[in-house]
Amino acid sequence: KNFLAVCLDTILAYEGIMRNSEYMLTQGKTVQEVLQENLENVQVLDLSGCTLDSVLYYPDREIPVLAMLGDGNVLIIGFNEKNVVLMNPETDKVYKMGMNDAADWFTENGCHFISYVKK
C-alpha cells in the first residue's frame, strides 16, 4: 500500500473516520484535500518551513502531524523532553527518536509538515 495513504488513513482513523485515502490520491487529490474533505470542522494547515519545536504544538493537543520526507513519510504522534514519538507507515512501528536527531532529520528533508486544527 502507498505509505502516504497509510499515514492519511491513520489520521482519519484517529478521528473515527474510515476512508480509502489511496483511492483518493490516485484520483488526483492532494494530501490537504483528502484531509479537508474528510475531517469535519477542521482547518488543514500546511506547516512547511516550521521548526520541529513549532509543530510539536499539535501532538501536544493530541493531533498527529504528517512529516513528508524525501524518502517517505512519518507521523509525529507524541513527544517528551528528550524524544519525539514517530509512527513509520512502512514498518507500522511506533518508535522514539532523540529530539535533536529528529530536528536535524526534518531540517535535512525540508521541514514539510501537514496537520490541522479543530474549528
Side-chain angles (χ1 to χ4, degrees):
K1 191 170 186 175
N2 177 319
F3 299 126
L4 179 56
V6 172
C7 286
L8 291 172
D9 287 346
T10 302
I11 291 170
L12 294 172
Y14 177 76
E15 295 292 341
I17 299 165
M18 303 306 288
R19 296 284 189 276
N20 183 343
S21 297
E22 189 163 27
Y23 175 77
M24 290 182 268
L25 290 171
T26 62
Q27 296 300 305
K29 300 274 186 191
T30 66
V31 169
Q32 290 92 329
E33 289 171 332
V34 170
L35 293 174
Q36 194 68 61
E37 292 173 9
N38 291 283
L39 294 173
E40 293 185 17
N41 299 316
V42 304
Q43 176 63 48
V44 176
L45 304 169
D46 181 346
L47 302 171
S48 294
C50 291
T51 64
L52 176 60
D53 285 342
S54 297
V55 301
L56 290 179
Y57 168 87
Y58 302 93
D60 189 48
R61 278 140 185 86
E62 299 184 8
I63 300 170
V65 174
L66 172 61
M68 300 173 77
L69 309 167
D71 59 352
N73 307 288
V74 294
L75 286 178
I76 303 170
I77 57 174
F79 69 98
N80 62 27
E81 310 81 44
K82 297 180 182 181
N83 298 294
V84 177
V85 181
L86 305 170
M87 190 281 282
N88 182 334
E90 191 171 345
T91 61
D92 200 31
K93 301 271 188 219
V94 173
Y95 63 98
K96 293 179 184 176
M97 179 181 277
M99 194 69 74
N100 292 334
D101 290 339
D104 291 344
W105 186 41
F106 294 132
T107 299
E108 289 167 10
N109 282 279
C111 291
H112 188 68
F113 304 107
I114 306 278
S115 194
Y116 57 93
V117 290
K118 297 178 182 184
K119 292 182 182 177

